[in-house]
Structures are given as C-alpha cells and as structure tokens.
C-alpha cells in the first residue's frame, strides 16, 4: 500500500466532516460523489440546493444525496453564524449588516461552520483564488497556537527509496511565504514537521536547507537559516532538526557523515525546509519533472483547523486526494488536542 492509499484508508477508517464551499463546481461535485461512494468523508456542500441536485442528475452523480447541502440563503443557522462572525470581527470594525452579507458568501460560511464545530476541515480553490480561500480562514479560524504564518507543504513521492522515508520527502514552504524571516522560517519548519506526522505518519527529521553546511559558507541568508533552526527548537524542543545543511548533506548518509559528523538529521532527513519560497517552489518542480516524483499538494499548514486550497486547474482526482488529506489533517489535529 503506497502513501496515498494509506492516507485514503486512514480517512475511510476515521470519517471526518469536510466542507466544500464550491458546491456547484462540476469537478468538486464529481469528487464529492466519489468520496461519498467510497465512504472517504462526510461531505458538506455549500450552494443552491436545487442547482446542486440538478447538476448531480445531469452528471449522473448518484451519491450526492448522501451529502449535507447548505444553501447560504436558506441556512437554518444563518443567524447563529452571523452573530458568531460579528462577535469575532466587531473589534476590527465589522458591522452586523456586513456580517449578514458575508454569511451568504460560501467561503466565509464554510469557515464559520468549522469555527462553530459543525465540520472538521475545508477544501476550496477550484474556482476561487488562494487569497479568497485564505482570507476568511485567517479572519475566522485563525492560525494554530504559537504559529502566526500560513505556509504550504508538498508531499514528494520519489523512486529513490533509499532517501527520505522510503523515498517520501515532505518539503516546505512551496506556496505561500515569499521571503520568510527567521521567526517565520522556524514556524514553517515546525508546521511542516507536523504535516509529515499527520500525513506520512513518520517521525520527522527536519533539515534546514542552505547553500552552506555547518559554516562552510558565510552570508546573511545562511545566518537566517541558523537562527531559524534555533528558534524552531525553542517552539518544539522535541523536534529532530538540524541546519544549515546542503541538500546532499541532508539526504545522503555518506555526505551527511562527512559534512556534519554527529548530526542525527544529516544524511537521514525526511523533511526539507527551503530558505525561501523561490527555492522551495523551483526545487519541488525540478524533483517532480526531472526525477519523475509524484508531487501532492500544496498542503496548507499553520491554520488552527485544516483548510486547503486547490489549483484552479485541478482534476477530479486531485480534489479527491485533497479531501483525503484534509481529513487526515483533521484527525491529527483532534488526536493531538486530546493529548
């Protein structure tokens, strides 16, 4: 059973409630229908109920009837969610009238459903921009305790089984923060380690990446990585993390032993933290295209409850996988909250 199959199986065995605010989007509906057929999650679709049911009939989606459909205009909890939004945002100048209007927006409504405890995770972006997806999530659900920035991780499933965790690498940030400072880079490291635990089920060994290994080069960007490594240890003292490390020193045991002797991470890293978004985004795409790796994501992290953003060019299969991933993140959040 490969990693994606394990993620799907875990979601089926521990059903979570996943909100899909783009309930009238064709690919989203088809993915929801397959998810419901497989018992992948309890699905909450937001949108006009008549339109959703008509689209389901048109595309012969026979399992949509199992979904909970919430029409923003006729939602029985509309007043409750309006009051919740007003209470959360009145200090920022939001009026009751504005709250009443925002509750009609499926993306705001989806985040409110999660904030109220009526769902466990949210997935959108097939027809909305990343900014539109993130804005209500950050205003309503907010970031995780101790984390102030959102970032994006990528699951890289490679054929190099001797590297990472049987060929699996989790890499961040590949999607959100263009030039993180040392504090933000430390938070990205901690968040990506949690994503590795939640999805790959591994004990993370985190390498803070650079063009230098243990002082082999001097530059202010190297200093930032060294400081971020220290700060990540302060956030999570139990974290196995080391840096700064070059890519070969992070991944190849013989190189790690030579360049960073005594390091428990060097040569054995399964989580790679890029020093900037530019490096992370270029890096994962090179591995994907030149190394024929399967790249799954980006997976958003740092939000108090799972919220994921799709590419507007996503396929039905992409949405299905991201429903499973969001469910796994939700399960991990619950398990850790109970500890």
């Amino acid at each position: 059973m490969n990693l994606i199959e394990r993620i799907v199986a875990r979601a089926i065995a521990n059903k979570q409630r996943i909100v899909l605010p783009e309930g009238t989007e064709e690919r989203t509906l088809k993915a929801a229908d397959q998810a419901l057929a497989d018992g992948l999650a309890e699905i909450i679709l937001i949108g006009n109920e008549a339109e959703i049911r008509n689209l389901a009939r048109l595309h012969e989606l026979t399992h949509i009837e199992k979904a909970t459909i919430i029409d923003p205009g006729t939602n029985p909890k509309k007043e409750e969610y309006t009051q919740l939004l007003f209470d959360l945002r009145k200090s920022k100048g939001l009026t009751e009238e504005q709250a009443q209007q925002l509750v009609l927006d499926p993306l705001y409504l989806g985040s409110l459903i999660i904030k109220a405890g009526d769902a466990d995770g949210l997935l959108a972006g097939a027809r909305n921009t990343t900014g539109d997806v993130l804005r209500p999530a950050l205003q309503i659900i907010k970031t995780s305790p101790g984390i102030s920035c959102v970032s994006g991780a990528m699951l890289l499933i490679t054929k190099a089984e001797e590297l990472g965790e049987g060929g699996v690498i989790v890499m961040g940030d590949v999607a959100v923060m263009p030039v993180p400072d040392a504090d933000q880079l430390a938070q990205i490291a901690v968040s990506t380690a949690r994503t590795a635990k939640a999805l790959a089920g591994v004990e993370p060994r985190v390498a803070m990446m650079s063009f230098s290994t243990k002082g082999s080069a001097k530059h202010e960007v190297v200093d930032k990585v060294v400081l971020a490594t220290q700060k990540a240890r302060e956030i999570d003292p139990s974290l196995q993390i080391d840096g700064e490390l070059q890519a070969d020193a992070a991944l190849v045991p013989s190189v790690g032993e030579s360049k960073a002797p005594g390091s428990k991470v060097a040569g054995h890293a399964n989580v790679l933290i890029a020093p900037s978004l530019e490096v992370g985004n270029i890096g994962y795409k090179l591995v994907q295209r030149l190394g024929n790796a399967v790249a799954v994501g980006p997976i958003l992290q740092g939000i108090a409850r799972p919220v994921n953003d799709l590419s507007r060019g996503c396929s039905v299969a992409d949405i299905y996988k991201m429903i499973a991933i969001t469910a796994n993140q939700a399960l991990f959040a619950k398990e850790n909250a109970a500890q």
Side-chain angles (χ1 to χ4, degrees):
M1 188 181 290
N2 64 33
L3 177 57
I4 298 302
E5 290 170 341
R6 293 200 303 272
I7 288 170
V8 168
R10 200 180 303 128
I12 290 171
N14 302 275
K15 258 185 213 58
Q16 304 296 301
R17 301 164 298 172
I18 306 301
V19 182
L20 303 177
E22 298 162 326
T24 57
E25 199 278 326
E26 181 181 333
R27 292 162 297 170
T28 299
L29 264 183
K30 289 179 177 178
D33 188 71
Q34 189 61 54
L36 289 163
D38 295 345
L40 184 65
E42 295 179 23
I43 299 294
I44 300 170
L45 295 168
I46 299 179
N48 180 273
E49 184 169 359
E51 184 178 358
I52 289 173
R53 296 201 182 281
N54 285 337
L55 286 167
R57 281 193 293 271
L58 176 65
H59 297 292
E60 299 181 341
L61 306 177
T62 58
H63 299 278
I64 291 298
E65 62 186 25
K66 300 175 187 175
T68 299
I69 298 175
I70 297 179
D71 187 325
T74 59
N75 176 20
K77 290 193 171 184
K78 181 180 175 183
E79 293 305 318
E80 177 186 330
Y81 292 151
T82 298
Q83 187 61 48
L84 174 59
L85 179 58
F86 176 64
D87 290 342
L88 287 168
R89 300 294 296 171
K90 61 185 177 184
S91 64
K92 302 293 184 181
L94 185 76
T95 66
E96 288 191 60
E97 292 75 15
Q98 289 170 327
Q100 289 169 353
Q101 288 302 308
L102 286 175
V103 166
L104 299 176
D105 181 322
L107 294 172
Y108 273 85
L109 177 55
S111 288
L112 287 163
I113 290 170
I114 291 174
K115 186 69 173 180
D118 297 330
D120 305 306
L122 181 148
L123 177 63
R127 66 160 55 131
N128 286 282
T129 67
T130 299
D132 288 339
V133 174
L134 280 178
R135 192 174 303 110
L138 291 174
Q139 290 178 2
I140 296 166
I141 304 171
K142 306 186 186 300
T143 53
S144 302
I147 303 294
S148 62
C149 71
V150 175
S151 57
M154 187 68 67
L155 285 179
L156 294 171
I157 305 169
T158 79
K159 295 176 182 177
E161 295 184 1
E162 72 281 7
L163 302 180
E165 199 73 33
V168 174
I169 299 287
V170 185
M171 189 171 184
D173 174 21
V174 302
V176 182
M177 298 291 294
V179 187
D181 61 25
D183 285 315
Q184 292 166 333
L185 194 57
Q187 292 175 33
I188 290 167
V190 171
S191 295
T192 308
R194 291 172 182 170
T195 296
K197 277 187 175 182
L199 300 181
V202 301
E203 190 59 38
R205 299 181 297 275
V206 184
M208 303 294 280
M209 307 294 288
S210 180
F211 61 85
S212 168
T213 296
K214 297 297 184 179
S216 64
K218 302 294 183 184
H219 195 276
E220 61 185 20
V221 297
V222 177
D223 296 339
K224 180 183 78 169
V225 173
V226 173
L227 180 57
T229 305
Q230 296 169 356
K231 287 178 175 288
R233 290 191 182 110
E234 292 169 6
I235 297 171
D236 184 356
S238 70
L239 190 62
Q240 288 190 68
I241 185 169
D242 204 358
E244 85 284 13
L245 296 171
Q246 291 163 286
D248 56 354
L251 292 170
V252 182
S254 60
V255 179
E257 173 111 13
S258 171
K259 291 188 174 184
S263 171
K264 294 181 180 179
V265 171
H268 305 284
N270 52 22
V271 176
L272 304 180
I273 305 302
S276 69
L277 177 56
E278 186 175 43
V279 175
N281 192 271
I282 292 170
Y284 98 74
K285 288 180 178 177
L286 285 174
V287 172
Q288 180 185 26
R289 300 300 178 181
L290 297 179
N292 295 314
V294 175
V296 181
I299 299 151
L300 293 184
Q301 50 191 22
I303 305 173
R305 289 291 179 269
V307 173
N308 276 306
D309 174 45
L310 296 161
S311 162
R312 278 173 284 173
C314 63
S315 66
V316 172
D318 292 334
I319 300 173
Y320 181 93
K321 282 188 286 191
M322 289 305 296
I323 291 172
I325 282 169
T326 307
N328 274 252
Q329 288 177 295
L331 176 64
F332 181 78
K334 287 180 180 179
E335 289 172 345
N336 280 269
Q339 290 177 0

